[in-house]
Amino acid sequence: MTQEGGLGAPMRHIIDWQNPDFTDPDKIDAELRRVFDICHGCRRCFNLCDSFPRLFDLIDESESGELDTVDSKDFAPVIEACTLCDMCFMTKCPYVPPHNFDLDFPHLMLRARVADFQRGEPGYWDKKLADTDGNGKLATKVAGFANWGSKRGNALTRPILEKVCNIHRDAALPEYARGTLESEAKSEDLVINTAAPAFGQKAVIYATCFSNYNTPEIGESVRRILAHNGVETEVLYPVCCGMPQMEQGDLAEVTNRAKTVAAAMKPHIEAGKKVIALVPSCALMMKFEWPLIVPHDPDVQALAEATCDASEYIVDIAKTHGLAGDLKALDGPITLHIACHARAQNMGAKAAEMLRLIPDTEVKVVERCSGHGGTWGIKKQNFEIGMKIGKPVIRDANKNDPEGTGWIASECPLASLHLQQGVEEWDGRTAPAPRQCHPVELMAKACGV
Ligand code: SF4
Ligand code: SF4
Ligand code: SF4
């Protein structure tokens, strides 16, 4: 008998992207219609993102009010609005496998995008925007100039960026660092605390494109926290995890990257080390998406099993060995946004668990998408919708910290940037906005490192 409500643990199928059926337009259309019809009768996901409102409006405004009078060519905006955050699959849908409806909405959107990619979409500038390594290598060399050009309010460059690259002129963009995390880690010898309870542990940090090129502070904080706790780390950055390419449906490129990173990490994994990913989207790719896209590859599988989210690793050290020294209270309350890709890892709210180890510090948790969605939320046509999706989180941050004395933290660095922009601009705020950062930066402060 079929069970309602996901009584079996959700499971996912291998993404059979090299099978010609996977990108057959008629087969995709049949599957879209099957799934959309189930969603039309269910509607639990109405407030998760913009995909579902677009879908339900499309059906409601059709001639019969049913899917049979909706033209398949009108599905494109529904597919386009999915940021692959996985929340519908992980938190709402009672029909995911093992239910016999066998419904995986995000991976169906992905399938449609793989077919689009094979037909020559997306365009040059979309691909350029997703090339985080190419952009990062260049921009870190000319960081001052790049940051001037991308700054919000630059009346000279932002209208050009909007016209040429389709990046909304008002969207806050991350700054570039003047040196990469990888190079800075090589030049900085940390003293390992031999008196710490966890002394003797070793781990390898996967820098992630974001921490490598934009915010080395994230990786540096993790290194310092771990050195203080007796853990020796090394930073490696073979290539970006390919999440931006997955969003565009380029699974061949994702495969190349999975294999490259797995090969670089292999000797460390064989030496018994964990692999710490600094950003949840990358950890999700490594733990869950890569083994489905590159199945039966023992190195990719071993990497999936060895990968840890940064907060997950620190909480594990605290539980298994105990932390070194006393943690100091922070100077203000924390609004902690739990990023979708951290939730989708099914590990509990590890960033909250970690920050709650800090004494006398208020931690308020918000579990909704910020509306950024990778590169989706900065695009001209999506920016306003993204801000609207993030509004409940922005409201909570405003309410939690009306004086602007505290912090907005998210393991998704784009989300915290996006939320800070919202807090600065919305709800008639007069006090300064709370400072934004990654939770491990707050943990480093509390550890006094
Ligand atoms: S994966 Fe996220 S963005 Fe995509 S449809 Fe589901 S909830 Fe919406
Ligand atoms: S994805 Fe599942 S829960 Fe969400 S609307 Fe569709 S059927 Fe309902
Ligand atoms: S909150 Fe962050 S991780 Fe979640 S969908 Fe938005 S951008 Fe992605």
Side-chain angles (χ1 to χ4, degrees):
M1 194 181 85
T2 300
Q3 292 175 323
E4 165 86 1
L7 293 178
M11 48 177 270
R12 277 188 140 159
H13 300 302
I14 283 169
I15 301 173
D16 195 15
W17 61 277
Q18 283 165 310
N19 182 339
D21 281 358
F22 191 81
T23 45
D24 180 304
D26 294 333
K27 293 201 162 95
I28 294 177
D29 187 60
E31 182 61 1
L32 286 170
R33 287 189 168 275
R34 182 184 80 86
V35 167
F36 286 176
D37 206 30
I38 297 171
C39 292
H40 165 49
C42 162
R43 302 205 174 202
R44 283 188 197 201
C45 293
F46 73 98
N47 63 354
L48 281 183
C49 64
D50 212 42
S51 272
F52 292 101
R54 287 182 190 193
L55 173 64
F56 302 145
D57 285 351
L58 196 62
I59 298 172
D60 294 343
E61 288 158 17
S62 72
E63 201 184 320
S64 62
E66 298 292 335
L67 198 61
D68 60 349
T69 49
V70 176
D71 194 322
S72 299
K73 72 173 168 30
D74 296 330
F75 291 162
V78 177
I79 297 161
E80 200 263 334
C82 171
T83 61
L84 302 180
C85 78
D86 272 346
M87 284 303 98
C88 52
F89 183 89
M90 295 301 298
T91 67
K92 292 270 177 185
C93 191
Y95 306 128
V96 299
H99 191 287
N100 67 353
F101 281 5
D102 200 20
L103 198 151
D104 184 337
F105 198 100
H107 278 181
L108 178 57
M109 300 302 104
L110 175 64
R111 181 178 174 187
R113 288 197 197 166
V114 174
D116 285 348
F117 186 84
Q118 290 188 356
R119 279 195 294 273
E121 298 169 33
Y124 174 80
W125 285 109
D126 283 330
K127 285 190 183 149
K128 198 77 200 115
L129 194 59
D131 180 13
T132 53
D133 285 336
N135 299 338
K137 276 183 196 144
L138 184 68
T140 45
K141 289 199 181 86
V142 290
F145 176 71
N147 294 339
W148 168 81
S150 63
K151 204 171 182 57
R152 201 152 47 100
N154 185 327
L156 198 66
T157 54
R158 292 302 300 259
I160 300 172
L161 266 183
E162 184 174 276
K163 196 162 173 45
V164 178
C165 310
N166 197 31
I167 297 172
H168 195 289
R169 67 182 70 191
D170 294 331
L173 299 176
E175 290 194 352
Y176 282 97
R178 286 168 202 277
T180 64
L181 170 63
E182 205 183 17
S183 61
E184 282 180 23
K186 278 197 186 104
S187 63
E188 187 192 12
D189 259 343
L190 290 172
V191 179
I192 307 297
N193 179 3
T194 53
F199 173 65
Q201 305 293 311
K202 290 185 180 173
V204 54
I205 296 177
Y206 169 60
T208 75
C209 64
F210 201 89
S211 185
N212 202 41
Y213 300 118
N214 299 101
T215 49
E217 305 87 274
I218 300 173
E220 281 159 9
S221 299
V222 173
R223 288 190 78 222
R224 288 199 303 269
I225 296 166
L226 293 182
H228 176 67
N229 281 286
V231 184
E232 198 182 310
T233 56
E234 182 179 341
V235 172
L236 285 188
Y237 184 58
V239 281
C240 153
C241 74
M243 173 61 92
Q245 285 68 32
M246 186 165 105
E247 285 173 354
Q248 297 184 344
D250 184 1
L251 296 190
E253 185 53 32
V254 176
T255 300
N256 292 336
R257 287 162 187 244
K259 290 190 171 194
T260 303
V261 178
M265 298 297 176
K266 186 174 175 170
H268 296 275
I269 295 167
E270 285 174 349
K273 296 182 204 170
K274 287 282 184 194
V275 178
I276 302 172
L278 301 172
V279 173
S281 302
C282 319
L284 184 75
M285 287 295 277
M286 294 158 80
K287 285 181 183 175
F288 297 108
E289 300 290 6
W290 284 357
L292 297 176
I293 296 167
V294 196
H296 319 305
D297 182 312
D299 295 344
V300 171
Q301 188 57 44
L303 176 56
E305 285 160 22
T307 297
C308 271
D309 186 270
S311 312
E312 184 184 16
Y313 188 83
I314 294 167
V315 168
D316 187 55
I317 289 284
K319 281 188 180 157
T320 316
H321 305 277
L323 293 179
D326 289 330
L327 297 176
K328 290 190 271 304
L330 294 180
D331 55 342
I334 304 168
T335 299
L336 175 66
H337 166 255
I338 308 288
C340 315
H341 287 167
R343 293 174 73 192
Q345 289 174 53
N346 234 349
M347 59 183 176
K350 292 294 173 196
E353 241 183 277
M354 179 183 75
L355 292 177
R356 286 186 174 133
L357 295 170
I358 303 173
D360 304 320
T361 303
E362 194 185 357
V363 182
K364 292 231 169 110
V365 166
V366 192
E367 284 190 313
R368 287 184 69 122
C369 181
S370 70
H372 198 288
T375 56
W376 183 87
I378 58 171
K379 293 200 177 148
K380 192 178 167 198
Q381 68 276 21
N382 302 330
F383 175 70
E384 304 288 348
I385 305 164
M387 278 296 191
K388 196 171 128 208
I389 292 171
K391 190 144 190 173
V393 188
I394 292 164
R395 282 223 173 103
D396 281 353
N398 270 339
K399 229 188 295 157
N400 293 346
D401 193 358
E403 310 299 328
T405 54
W407 305 89
I408 294 176
S410 177
E411 290 166 297
C412 171
L414 291 170
S416 53
L417 185 67
H418 187 71
L419 293 173
Q420 193 183 38
Q421 176 173 5
V423 169
E424 276 169 11
E425 291 178 8
W426 282 12
D427 285 353
R429 190 177 181 99
T430 48
R435 298 148 283 179
Q436 53 102 6
C437 63
H438 190 288
V440 294
E441 293 177 66
L442 296 176
M443 192 63 182
K445 267 181 196 299
C447 289
V449 294

